[in-house]
Every structure is written in structure tokens, then in C-alpha cells.
Amino acid sequence: MKIQLRSQHPSKQIGLPGGPLELSWKVLGAHSGDTQLAYEIQSALDSEFSVSLKSDQAKSNASQYVKAPHVPMESREISYHRVRIETQSGWSDWSETLVHENGLLKGAELIGSAIGDDSKATDVPPLLRTSFEVTKPVAKARLYATAHGTYDVMINGAKAGNHILAPGWTPYQYRLLVDTHDVTNHLVEGENAFGVLLTDGWYRGKMSFFNLLDNYGEHTSFLGQIEIDYEDGTREIISTGTNWKTATGGVRFASIYDGTTMDMTMAQPAWCKPGFDDSAWKPVIERQIDKTLLEPLAAPPVRVKAELPMTLRHEADRVNLDGTQNISGWVRLTVDGKRGDKVVVRHAEILLPDKTLHTAPLRAAKATDTYILGKDGVQDLEPKHTFHGFQFADVVTEAKVVKAVAIAITSDNPDRAEFESSHKLLNKLHSNVLWSLRDNYVSIPTDCPQRDERLGWTGDAQAFIYAANTLVDENAFFRSWLKDLASEQTNDGKVPHVIPDILEMQYPRLEGGNPFPDNGAAGWGDAATVIPWAQYQSFGDVQILRNQLVSMRKWVDYFSDQCVDNVFGEGIMQLGDWLDPDAPEDKPFLAKVSSRFVASAYISHSARLVARAEELVGTKENSVKYQRLSDDVATATWNLLGSEARKTTSGCSLALEFRICPEAEREAVAAELAALVRKDKGAISTGFLGTPVIMDAMSQNGYFEEAYSMLLREEIRSWLYPITVGATTIWERWEAIKPDGTPSTGGSEGHAPGSEPSMISFNHYAYGAVVDWVYRNVLGLTSLAPGYRQVSIAPRPTKSIEWAKGSIETGYGKYSIDWKLDGSKLHAKVTVPFGVDAKLNLPVTEASTILVNGETKLNGEVLSHGSYDLDVTHAYVVSR
Ligand code: BGC
């Protein structure tokens, strides 16, 4: 038996926040039939478990988010934790040891002052440097660093760590993150160089479709220190301060939207190496960073996820590159040229029919990297502190393009799930959703990675959250973002459209003020309630409900205050079922279902989630109050708006999934929904808010035929159609590329002067929400209790899919299935992890028999952990 232990924090990350450690473990290789009867957790300050040993034993089967006996509260403290469990076979061995290292828990422990130069936004970004001596043997060394702006720290010529765009994007006026790196191996005896490249980043770079600079301030600055613990027990801190020097180098311009300009003839190649003469450099300028806002990074940072070779197609005046996958990132280009040669790389998500880059959807984002070569010969080129959303690029240069690699970046959430089937297009859909997730989780959950936007749109994150939770383990990522959501919420509870709320900061600077006055938007503001609840469901994380309860309540109070007689007020601007394909192209908020119905349905839904959260971590009284609100709004809404809403697919779906229509009418509403879908031959007619719920609204009510007709449809207005015209990610609009290959204009008001009016991204994940349904229904890996404590084995095969296999790495271990159809016989191999009960919910007809490892069983019976061979005769097979 083997036990794998982890905490709530990303594994292998150091410099974490202090406070309670929530431990979860997976048990591998337990005897069949054994269960966890008790656990023991030990914590200590040494790996031998002898210093300050603390131990907790409990007769309990809990294994997820269990508090460690030692609470690491000291800055820099390294603590060690392990667990063992008792089963019917006795006590296990200890798990592998989990090592937890705290960061600096008080901002003031970064002892230096923040430093920068006199540059302005879009100016040449500064290099900062100092040097120091190491004269004694080093036991260990840590770098703690943060910035107003984005930075790379270079020690003796090499980048410290592999974080990209550090310190990431948070509402800098409330919270600024500190990254920690182990830099022991960077240090050398004698002189050492400590250098920083500091760029505008999100802090003062061009942001949002208003394309404004200086959003958080006019000056970039860096604050950091290297702490050296010597073998003789002494500590030395090399911190930022007025003794540092500044100059500029090869990086002449760096912007997240626009790209990088690098003139390597101006580079100072040895600037961050020992022995460099910086006497010509200027003194730095001291700047202010409020140290009380500093916090250790607790979410996974942005890192490189993949390197994809690009194909080269040479034309007379350019070289065209294709990475075969739409990504967030950049091109690493190898060229053979001469000093002074210019290389210009432009990016786009798709090609126009004439094979040129389609850059109109980028709007005002230039997404162009420019280089001037600093030497002769073969050399690699990579931009700094930018990212582009692209599959294609073109290169204009007098140098020879030798090779190109697309570098894909993402917030480094571990992959959690696998899916494969005999249906090639469905496999591609799965891949496209996963890539849209990766491409759009860049420090925060964004809407799109390519145009002058890339903002933390709450509605997109909300619509996609269950799919995201199924695909990757991003609980730490969302714990962090939800913290920012709560801090950006107004006192009266309004949740901004985007987190961090860059728009609110920009409105006062616009002529005429806020062009989009809002009272909160249903489905967007509901990120405050839906996401914490989803995290609890998908990961079993109760703490996130405790963290967010006040924010959840405040949102429901704020939004429901706009009800008149328990129905959302009339005439209040809403985003509604955004991008309903039948809405006018330039008015994406004009969906078929009324936005008043949608807002009321969301109030009822969110109030129910708050009621359930109150029951778990709040008060009974509140739980009753919010449940009553939920019921009252549902009843009044259905009475007033139900008859109109049920004429639309989104209206029916929300009514069923959010329980707006009374029990007695469910059957009729479901039948009406199914009829609408049949009439449209499975064509999708829902927008951002209807799409995530329509498949369940059908299948939960028995309409699998209709659900599959929609899922597997290949004509336009479907999930698979984009794939037939080459999509490698999920589109913002169902009809983004027409069957004749021409892209839609995406007619919507462009906000930046000089940019085409266009709202058409080829990489928006909201519609990818369907993948969660695929896991639960095609594979049949369904969770019945928070964190997959109980699951059901519930595949619903259909004729077009001969086999499917996949898994979800739950907190308990891997839950997997591998099924195939042989006529009407279904055979499946299933693995249920330790600690999980799996209920049989197999696709049966009256004539079916179920065999589990050769033994007859009935649906509803429960299997404990282990591997099973399941056979179903006369299975129920959907005819699609
Ligand atoms: C974004 C969307 C977002 C919407 C709401 C768009 O510009 O890209 O995904 O949710 O605006 O207004």
C-alpha cells in the first residue's frame, strides 16, 4: 500500500503562505474490501520527524483537506508532514513526506526599497543590477521578488526560476504577490550579479479595449532580495535599494498586447554576469510599494506548457509559420542572419482564404515581435514579457528562417483528466476545450488570449467552471482569483464584470465616463456564488466556501434587491444569454430568452447555492432565508415570465436546471425543449448562459437522443462544425467561420480608435463547458458527492461511438473507465479509487443483465475500490 500526500497548495512550490495546512491523500494498492478506519498525521520541523514533533490520530475515514497538527506560522519555516492509515489489514507505512516551505509572511520582511528608473509607459524598459560577494560555503539561498510591472530576475546570467510574467495579475491596489525561488545553485564563490529586467506588464502597460496606459500607476518598480544562509549558521540578505544601478539593453519595448521589440545591437550581453563594469549605469530611483499588500504566491504561476514545432512555408516576401494549434505564447525563431538584420514576426489565430494572416480580430493589439540581430550567424530569438493568441505567424526578414517553435504558456494547473473515443471529432473537441482552457488561464481566467482584452471576465469563468474542474486541478488558482473577486466587490455587493476590475479604474479617465453603466450582470456576477460551490463539488473543498461565504451572500443580496415582487426589475441592462446565435451580430445581448428571465433564474439559483453553503459553513437561519428567497423568486418568475421563456431552448434549460419551473411542469417543459431541439435538428440556439446547461436539461429528463443529436451534429451551429473547418480551440461565436471558409466580421462596436469593429475570437472557452457533460455521460464518470467521495458509473453509449475510455484524477485517486460496445452488449473496465463508493447506474433495458467480475448485480448496488469488469447485455444504446 502506498500513500500520496499533498496540501492545498501547488506541489513543489516554495515560499507559500503560512496558516493551516490542509492535507489530502490518495491510497494506492490497498487490499480489496479494506477501508480507512483511522489516520495518523505527523508534522515536524525536520525530515527525520524528531524536532517539534506533533501528531494527530483520529478514528475517521476522512482523507481530504484534513488539517495538519502543526500550523506553519513562521516566515521561511520548512515543515515536514506525513500520514499513515489504519485499515482492516493494520497500519500502513508512512506516506512520502510532504515538505512545506513558508515564504515571507510579512511584507516588511522584504527589507529593501522598491527601485525603478525614470521611464514612462511604453518607453525602453529598464535593467536593474547590483553585485555581491559570496565568501563562505552556502547552505541554501532563496530569492523573494515582486514588482509593479513584470520582471525576470537574472542571477549570474541565468533566469531565476521558470515563472512567466511574474508576479502575475492581481488587483494591485489590494494585493501584490511575492514569488520565491530556490537559488542556491545560482550562486558562485566570489562576485555574483543580481539583475532584473522590468517591464510595464499589466501594471502600467496598455490594457483593455480602451487601450489605456498607467492603469495602476505611472512608475514600474522592483522589490526583492536574495537571502543566503551560510553553512556557519549566519544569514546575509542582498536587497534592492539605492545602491543599485540602471541602464537599458536589447529589450526596447515590451507590451502584453503589442509584443516586444528587441535590438540586440544595443544589448549588454554580460549585464547580469559577474565582472560586468556598470560604472556608466545611472543610479536607480527609489519607488513606493506598499509592503502591507504583499502576500506569498499560492496559485501555480504561469509556465511553459508545451513546445510545438511549426511548419515553414516560404513565399517571396515572407515565411509563413503554422503551429497546428491555437495557443497563448510566442514563437521561438531560429534565424541565420547578419548583425543589423531586422526580423518581424506577426501573429494570428486563423488565415484568410488567401492564406494571409487574419489580424482584424486582434483589434488594437499589435501582437508583433520585432528583432534587430546583434551578431552574425545562427541564433534563437524569443520575445520578453508578452504573449500572443495564435496558431499562425509570418516572418518578414532578410535573414534566413531556419526553424520555428510555438511556445505555449499557461497557469500551471496540473492536468487531471483524459478522454479518448472511437469518435475522432469528439476527441478533437475535447482537445480544443483543453487548449482553450490552457490558453485562457494566464495568471487569471481570461475571456480570450489574442485581442486587446484578455480580461478576467467573470461570466466566462462561471460558465466554464465545471468543465475546467473536470479537466485540470485548478482549485488553488480559483482560491486566489476568488479572493480578488471578493476584494473587488463593492461594499453593497456588486461584482464587477472583470476581475481584476481594470474597467472600473479606467472609466473616470474616459471622456463621458462609464459607457456601460451596470447594476451587476446575471451569469457574470454569479461567479461569486457558482464558482465556490463548484469548487466544493469538484474538489470537496469546504474551506473555499468559508473563504467566500460573505462575498456569496453579498452578491445575492445586491442582485436580488433589484427584484420587484420577486422578479428582477424591468428594463435593467443585462448581458443576458450573451451571443445567442440568433441575436444581431452587433448586439450580442439581444438573445431570444429575455434577460429579465435569465436574471431572475440566476437569482433563484444563486440564492439556493448560498442557502446550501450557509447550511455547511454559515447559519441555519440564513440557510432558511436564502432558500425561501430562491423559492419565492422561482415561483414569481415562472408565473410572470415562464410562458415566454419556455418558447426558447435557453429558457427551458435554465427553468429545468435551476428548478424555476414547478415539479409538476418539468415533464412538459422538458418535452418542449426536446421538441425545439428536434425541430432544429440539434442545431445550437443557445448563448453563454444557455449552452452550459442545455445538455443536462435534456439528458437528466431522459432526452438522450436529442442530447446526442446536438453533441454530434457536424453542420454549422454545433460543437463539431468548427472542427470540420479546422478549429483547434473553442470559438467565441458559433458561426465564426462560414462554411465557405470566410470569417464572420464579428460586428460589434470596436472600442479603440483605429481598430476595426470586431468581436470575434477563435479562443473563448465558454462553449467548451459541454466537455463536463461528455465526461459524465459519454464516459459515465459522474460524481455524486463533493470531491468524488461517491460516484456513479453511468455511461450512456450511443451508436456513433463504439468505444470510449478516460479518467479523472480525483482527490482520492484515479477514477477510470474503458468501455466498448459489441452490438447491444456493453463491456467496461472500471477502476474505483480507495475511499470512493461507486454506484452502478448502467444503461439497461428491461431485458438486461449486469455482470460485475462475472457476478450478477443490479443497478443501484455499490462497489468499493478496485478494478472491475462490467458486462451489460441488451444495453440501452442511443440511436445517434
Ligand atoms: C468578452 C466576453 C465577455 C463579454 C461580456 C466580451 O468582450 O470577450 O467573453 O463575457 O464581453 O460583455
Side-chain angles (χ1 to χ4, degrees):
M1 188 160 48
K2 200 175 152 208
I3 305 180
Q4 290 174 345
L5 183 63
R6 52 165 296 186
S7 78
Q8 76 270 34
H9 300 301
S11 57
K12 301 201 173 71
Q13 206 157 304
I14 60 168
L16 293 160
L21 264 190
E22 303 157 46
L23 303 179
S24 303
W25 55 90
K26 294 174 186 168
V27 177
L28 310 178
H31 285 146
S32 162
D34 274 8
T35 56
Q36 179 181 310
L37 303 170
Y39 66 76
E40 179 177 8
I41 305 174
Q42 284 189 342
S43 300
L45 295 179
D46 68 328
S47 58
E48 305 302 312
F49 287 83
S50 60
V51 180
S52 310
L53 177 67
K54 281 190 189 151
S55 175
D56 264 359
Q57 256 205 33
K59 293 248 170 271
S60 160
N61 64 0
S63 66
Q64 306 296 303
Y65 298 92
V66 180
K67 298 253 161 65
H70 170 72
V71 181
M73 292 302 288
E74 301 292 324
S75 290
R76 309 176 183 86
E77 182 189 298
I78 300 178
S79 55
Y80 300 81
H81 310 264
R82 63 185 181 185
V83 65
R84 59 181 191 145
I85 65 161
E86 188 187 19
T87 66
Q88 286 76 0
S89 309
W91 280 95
S92 71
D93 288 339
W94 289 106
S95 66
E96 17 183 277
T97 299
L98 174 96
V99 185
H100 171 89
E101 180 171 336
N102 275 350
L104 300 181
L105 304 186
K106 286 196 205 81
E109 289 173 291
L110 278 155
I111 57 173
S113 43
I115 53 170
D117 71 343
D118 57 3
S119 64
K120 298 195 180 54
T122 76
D123 280 356
V124 180
L127 303 173
L128 312 167
R129 85 179 302 281
T130 193
S131 58
F132 58 94
E133 296 286 325
V134 172
T135 52
K136 302 186 276 187
V138 173
K140 74 168 206 267
R142 295 289 182 264
L143 166 73
Y144 301 98
T146 191
H148 282 167
T150 41
Y151 68 87
D152 282 335
V153 167
M154 309 292 292
I155 301 174
N156 299 331
K159 179 169 156 156
N162 55 11
H163 300 187
I164 294 163
L165 296 166
W169 193 6
T170 48
Y172 299 126
Q173 71 278 31
Y174 301 127
R175 197 160 83 102
L176 180 63
L177 301 177
V178 178
D179 288 27
T180 305
H181 296 285
D182 180 352
V183 294
T184 317
N185 293 330
H186 282 70
L187 301 188
V188 294
E189 216 186 305
E191 189 186 331
N192 286 261
F194 183 175
V196 176
L197 166 67
L198 178 65
T199 60
D200 294 349
W202 292 284
Y203 187 83
R204 74 169 184 190
K206 186 167 99 171
M207 287 315 295
S208 102
F209 36 70
F210 297 121
N211 282 278
L212 294 182
L213 300 167
D214 298 329
N215 293 293
Y216 292 94
E218 289 175 7
H219 303 294
T220 52
S221 59
F222 173 80
L223 174 67
Q225 63 200 28
I226 295 174
E227 294 194 1
I228 310 169
D229 286 347
Y230 291 107
E231 279 179 8
D232 66 8
T234 58
R235 171 174 296 157
E236 189 180 1
I237 301 182
I238 318 298
S239 61
T240 42
T242 44
N243 58 329
W244 283 54
K245 298 276 201 70
T246 182
T248 59
V251 182
R252 309 309 289 172
F253 173 76
S255 150
I256 288 177
Y257 288 171
D258 288 343
T260 301
T261 302
M262 288 167 73
D263 183 347
M264 265 82 74
T265 63
M266 305 185 84
Q268 308 194 45
W271 72 276
C272 55
K273 291 192 179 147
F276 180 76
D277 175 10
D278 62 14
S279 54
W281 287 38
K282 289 192 298 190
V284 293
I285 297 179
E286 200 172 333
R287 300 283 181 203
Q288 289 307 314
I289 286 184
D290 182 349
K291 293 182 183 175
T292 64
L293 305 179
L294 299 181
E295 246 182 55
L297 172 76
V302 179
R303 293 196 178 98
V304 171
K305 178 76 189 176
E307 301 195 0
L308 311 172
M310 303 184 85
T311 59
L312 275 53
R313 191 167 50 81
H314 293 265
E315 268 182 52
D317 62 343
R318 67 195 59 224
V319 182
N320 299 296
L321 310 177
D322 179 357
T324 67
Q325 174 60 54
N326 201 11
I327 62 160
S328 274
W330 57 82
V331 179
R332 183 198 296 143
L333 201 64
T334 310
V335 298
D336 187 355
K338 287 199 203 50
R339 181 178 160 91
D341 282 356
K342 189 173 180 185
V343 181
V344 180
V345 189
R346 300 184 313 139
H347 305 77
E349 290 182 288
I350 64 161
L351 297 181
L352 289 165
D354 69 358
K355 304 276 182 236
T356 58
L357 299 184
H358 186 34
T359 55
L362 307 180
R363 296 198 304 227
K366 294 197 181 75
T368 301
D369 295 321
T370 305
Y371 308 89
I372 308 286
L373 303 191
K375 58 181 184 194
D376 296 348
V378 177
Q379 49 208 291
D380 283 346
L381 306 173
E382 269 187 276
K384 301 274 187 204
H385 302 193
T386 189
F387 66 94
H388 315 298
F390 74 104
Q391 173 178 336
F392 302 94
D394 68 13
V395 188
V396 173
T397 179
E398 52 259 66
K400 182 169 173 238
V401 178
V402 180
K403 189 175 141 191
V405 178
I407 309 292
I409 62 166
T410 188
S411 280
D412 199 8
N413 299 301
D415 288 339
R416 185 190 198 201
E418 285 170 336
F419 171 83
E420 207 190 329
S421 74
S422 59
H423 199 293
K424 297 278 179 300
L425 294 183
L426 196 56
N427 298 348
K428 186 64 181 161
L429 174 70
H430 177 266
S431 159
N432 289 4
V433 177
L434 183 58
W435 275 104
S436 276
L437 178 157
R438 289 173 179 158
D439 299 345
N440 277 299
Y441 285 178
V442 177
S443 184
I444 57 162
T446 66
D447 55 338
C448 57
Q450 73 300 87
R451 67 182 177 222
D452 54 357
E453 206 154 349
R454 317 184 200 182
L455 306 180
W457 282 95
T458 47
D460 306 47
Q462 184 274 128
F464 187 63
I465 191 64
Y466 280 100
N469 285 350
T470 299
L471 292 171
V472 296
D473 177 355
E474 32 66 310
N475 201 37
F477 177 76
F478 272 101
R479 272 196 184 192
S480 175
W481 185 73
L482 285 172
K483 192 172 191 178
D484 291 335
L485 180 147
S487 70
E488 294 270 33
Q489 220 170 339
T490 58
N491 286 339
D492 59 352
K494 181 163 92 175
V495 177
H497 291 339
V498 296
I499 306 291
D501 191 4
I502 193 111
L503 299 177
E504 192 62 40
M505 304 189 75
Q506 294 182 337
Y507 292 146
R509 297 168 60 194
L510 300 176
E511 230 175 276
N514 180 358
F516 316 117
D518 81 274
N519 289 27
W524 273 252
D526 294 280
T529 48
V530 171
I531 297 181
W533 188 256
Q535 301 315 104
Y536 169 59
Q537 290 301 316
S538 304
F539 298 98
D541 181 6
V542 186
Q543 185 58 39
I544 205 163
L545 295 176
R546 287 191 198 102
N547 298 349
Q548 300 303 128
L549 186 64
V550 173
S551 153
M552 294 171 79
R553 253 185 223 152
K554 274 171 67 178
W555 164 249
V556 170
D557 291 348
Y558 170 82
F559 206 49
S560 63
D561 261 1
Q562 298 175 62
C563 285
V564 179
D565 295 333
N566 286 319
V567 180
F568 191 68
E570 233 182 321
I572 302 172
M573 177 60 198
Q574 287 291 295
L575 298 171
D577 190 22
W578 183 255
L579 287 169
D580 173 330
D582 296 310
E585 209 180 12
D586 60 347
K587 296 203 170 44
F589 48 89
L590 283 186
K592 295 184 289 295
V593 63
S594 81
S595 65
R596 197 175 173 207
F597 175 80
V598 172
S600 305
Y602 260 98
I603 290 172
S604 174
H605 179 56
S606 277
R608 179 178 299 112
L609 299 184
V610 174
R612 294 172 74 183
E614 290 282 358
E615 216 172 279
L616 284 163
V617 298
T619 69
K620 182 79 206 143
E621 202 185 330
N622 274 337
S623 173
V624 171
K625 177 178 115 183
Y626 286 103
Q627 187 56 51
R628 190 175 309 128
L629 173 68
S630 171
D631 294 343
D632 290 349
V633 171
T635 307
T637 301
W638 193 246
N639 288 341
L640 190 71
L641 306 171
S643 55
E644 276 303 308
R646 68 199 293 170
K647 292 181 188 154
T648 65
T649 45
S650 286
C652 290
S653 302
L654 289 168
L656 290 165
E657 282 299 288
F658 290 0
R659 306 205 156 263
I660 306 303
C661 72
E663 224 29 61
E665 286 185 58
R666 284 184 72 80
E667 215 173 289
V669 174
E672 285 161 36
L673 171 62
L676 287 171
V677 172
R678 277 195 303 273
K679 188 168 133 261
D680 273 354
K681 300 195 172 58
I684 293 178
S685 55
T686 46
F688 265 36
L689 301 185
T691 303
V693 288
I694 190 167
M695 292 294 284
D696 277 298
M698 291 188 276
S699 62
Q700 296 281 342
N701 294 290
Y703 291 100
F704 274 95
E705 294 286 341
E706 288 75 4
Y708 270 114
S709 78
M710 185 173 277
L711 179 71
L712 301 179
R713 180 184 158 94
E714 294 177 27
E715 296 77 40
I716 201 156
R717 294 199 180 189
S718 70
W719 281 289
L720 301 186
Y721 163 75
I723 296 164
T724 66
V725 291
T728 62
T729 41
I730 303 300
W731 296 344
E732 180 176 25
R733 291 176 186 263
W734 293 115
E735 303 180 25
I737 299 178
K738 309 219 181 80
D740 68 2
T742 54
S744 305
T745 58
S748 203
E749 285 163 38
H751 302 275
S755 77
E756 293 286 316
S758 168
M759 195 188 81
I760 191 144
S761 132
F762 297 89
N763 207 350
H764 254 64
Y765 50 50
Y767 293 142
V770 68
V771 141
D772 179 47
W773 189 94
V774 171
Y775 273 86
R776 288 184 288 110
N777 293 278
V778 177
L779 288 180
L781 301 178
T782 308
S783 175
L784 296 179
Y788 295 82
R789 171 75 187 81
Q790 283 182 327
V791 297
S792 76
I793 305 168
R796 290 294 176 266
T798 185
K799 273 198 181 133
S800 325
I801 305 176
E802 286 151 31
W803 57 266
K805 61 181 178 183
S807 61
I808 298 174
E809 189 65 54
T810 74
Y812 297 91
K814 192 178 270 210
Y815 175 34
S816 71
I817 192 165
D818 178 349
W819 65 250
K820 63 172 182 296
L821 267 183
D822 174 7
S824 67
K825 273 192 238 148
L826 177 79
H827 178 72
K829 282 184 188 304
V830 173
T831 309
V832 179
F834 183 85
V836 172
D837 294 328
K839 216 182 210 178
L840 295 177
N841 179 0
L842 296 163
V844 291
T845 58
E846 281 184 0
S848 296
T849 50
I850 298 176
L851 292 180
V852 176
N853 290 348
E855 244 179 72
T856 309
K857 296 261 180 196
L858 292 175
N859 261 346
E861 287 190 58
V862 173
L863 310 178
S864 65
H865 66 96
S867 294
Y868 301 93
D869 274 301
L870 311 181
D871 288 286
V872 183
T873 66
H874 305 96
Y876 163 61
V877 179
V878 178
S879 71
R880 298 286 159 173

